[in-house]
Amino acid sequence: NPSRMTDCHYCLQSLRGRKYALREENAYCVMCYDSLFANPCEECKQPIECDSKDLSYKGRHWHEGCFKCAKCSRSLVEKPFAAKDELLLCTDCYSNEYSSKCFHCQRTIMPGSRKMEFKGSSWHESCFVCQYCRQPLGTKPLITKDNENYCVPCFEKQFAHHCYSCKKVITSGGVTYHDQPWHKECFVCAECKTELSGQRFISKDDYPYCVDCFSKLYAKKCASCKKPITALGGPKFVSFEERQWHGECFNCAKCSVSLVGQGFLTRQDDVLCHKCGYA
């Protein structure tokens, strides 16, 4: 069609001597092109005419003169910028308003630079290093002590205790017994191997025992109630010849009066108050 490039594809008016724009090999007069295809500017809401420069970012469009920082109004054309809540900001304004401060050097972590986050704080990648060897920690396992971060090998060299039982490093928690460090899971009854951390226990010959095992193995039995006599059962007990009693069990066999601190008599296996003994 010889009129294809000489007439506007939409209004069919002649393009001779007039500006026109091409789209998909079709020619349009400027007015038709702008009304049909021009993108609206995000800033001024006016169409971006075909003879204007159209700047786009994530599906949105601006006139060249409208492409500026939403806070300080400086042009962002061919400059680095950041987006926040659909607003475009120059790097200075974004840093002042939104950027994190590095926990180590307290300087701003600039938009576009890599930052590391740990326990609610942020670091420059170059600042997030082992306090001892100064090597980057990145995503490696680490241990924190006194607000400083250490890679695991350096922490073990500098600070870690070794378990008295298994000899392996204690990285957190632990139990101290006889001035020696233990893993909680290693601090167990010498007899039944039950974990003793947070539990009552009794020590004998430098070994810890749960109360039940110690009672079965070592505690003397009360001559009256036959139950073990341990320090955990009460502070008072009575010993006479080869026998022992709980303080509350040391009573007259006939009238049950307490004999603790009193004179008493014995008859075979019984202990008696003076009144019952002479009766």
Side-chain angles (χ1 to χ4, degrees), residues 113-142:
S113 61
R114 189 176 181 188
K115 72 175 179 179
M116 310 302 295
E117 294 187 350
F118 178 65
K119 290 187 175 180
S121 298
S122 301
W123 279 262
H124 291 110
E125 186 178 20
S126 58
C127 291
F128 194 60
V129 298
C130 170
Q131 180 66 18
Y132 185 73
C133 70
R134 311 308 299 177
Q135 293 300 307
L137 290 169
T139 57
K140 297 176 184 176
L142 62 93

Side-chain angles (χ1 to χ4, degrees), residues 2 21 142 172 250:
L142 62 93
S172 63
F250 191 57

Side-chain angles (χ1 to χ4, degrees), residues 2-53:
S3 65
R4 180 177 179 184
M5 296 298 291
T6 58
D7 296 338
C8 174
H9 184 71
Y10 186 74
C11 70
L12 303 180
Q13 292 187 20
S14 174
L15 296 177
R16 287 190 175 91
R18 300 171 62 191
K19 289 183 178 181
Y20 66 89
L22 291 175
R23 184 179 177 89
E24 296 177 355
E25 298 185 359
N26 294 317
Y28 297 84
C29 66
V30 171
M31 185 176 295
C32 288
Y33 184 91
D34 288 343
S35 64
L36 292 171
F37 306 117
N39 295 307
C41 175
E42 288 287 328
E43 177 65 20
C44 69
K45 310 305 179 186
Q46 298 300 312
I48 304 173
E49 301 87 351
C50 64
D51 58 351
S52 298
K53 191 171 184 178

Side-chain angles (χ1 to χ4, degrees), residues 20-204:
Y20 66 89
L22 291 175
R23 184 179 177 89
E24 296 177 355
E25 298 185 359
N26 294 317
Y28 297 84
C29 66
V30 171
M31 185 176 295
C32 288
Y33 184 91
D34 288 343
S35 64
L36 292 171
F37 306 117
N39 295 307
C41 175
E42 288 287 328
E43 177 65 20
C44 69
K45 310 305 179 186
Q46 298 300 312
I48 304 173
E49 301 87 351
C50 64
D51 58 351
S52 298
K53 191 171 184 178
D54 185 334
L55 301 178
S56 65
Y57 173 72
K58 290 189 175 180
R60 297 186 293 159
H61 299 265
W62 288 262
H63 289 105
E64 186 174 16
C66 295
F67 194 62
K68 54 191 177 182
C69 174
K71 188 169 181 65
C72 70
S73 298
R74 285 188 292 181
S75 174
L76 299 177
V77 177
E78 297 183 359
K79 291 184 174 66
F81 63 89
K84 179 70 176 178
D85 300 328
E86 297 190 354
L87 298 177
L88 302 184
L89 300 167
C90 65
T91 52
D92 288 342
C93 289
Y94 184 89
S95 298
N96 292 335
E97 292 290 325
Y98 304 109
S99 287
S100 305
K101 301 289 185 183
C102 176
F103 183 83
H104 178 73
C105 70
Q106 295 302 309
R107 295 179 181 174
T108 299
I109 301 175
M110 298 299 290
S113 61
R114 189 176 181 188
K115 72 175 179 179
M116 310 302 295
E117 294 187 350
F118 178 65
K119 290 187 175 180
S121 298
S122 301
W123 279 262
H124 291 110
E125 186 178 20
S126 58
C127 291
F128 194 60
V129 298
C130 170
Q131 180 66 18
Y132 185 73
C133 70
R134 311 308 299 177
Q135 293 300 307
L137 290 169
T139 57
K140 297 176 184 176
L142 62 93
I143 301 172
T144 300
K145 178 179 173 62
D146 300 330
N147 287 329
E148 298 289 357
N149 301 318
Y150 298 84
C151 64
V152 174
C154 285
F155 182 86
E156 292 180 355
K157 289 177 185 177
Q158 297 298 307
F159 306 109
H161 297 290
H162 289 77
C163 176
Y164 182 78
S165 175
C166 71
K167 311 306 179 186
K168 295 180 180 179
V169 169
I170 301 174
T171 57
S172 63
V175 176
T176 299
Y177 172 68
H178 283 186
D179 295 325
Q180 297 292 345
W182 303 61
H183 288 114
K184 288 182 179 180
E185 60 271 21
C186 292
F187 187 62
V188 297
C189 172
E191 179 66 18
C192 69
K193 308 307 179 185
T194 299
E195 287 191 24
L196 297 177
S197 178
Q199 307 298 320
R200 295 190 302 177
F201 66 91
I202 301 172
S203 177
K204 180 175 176 59

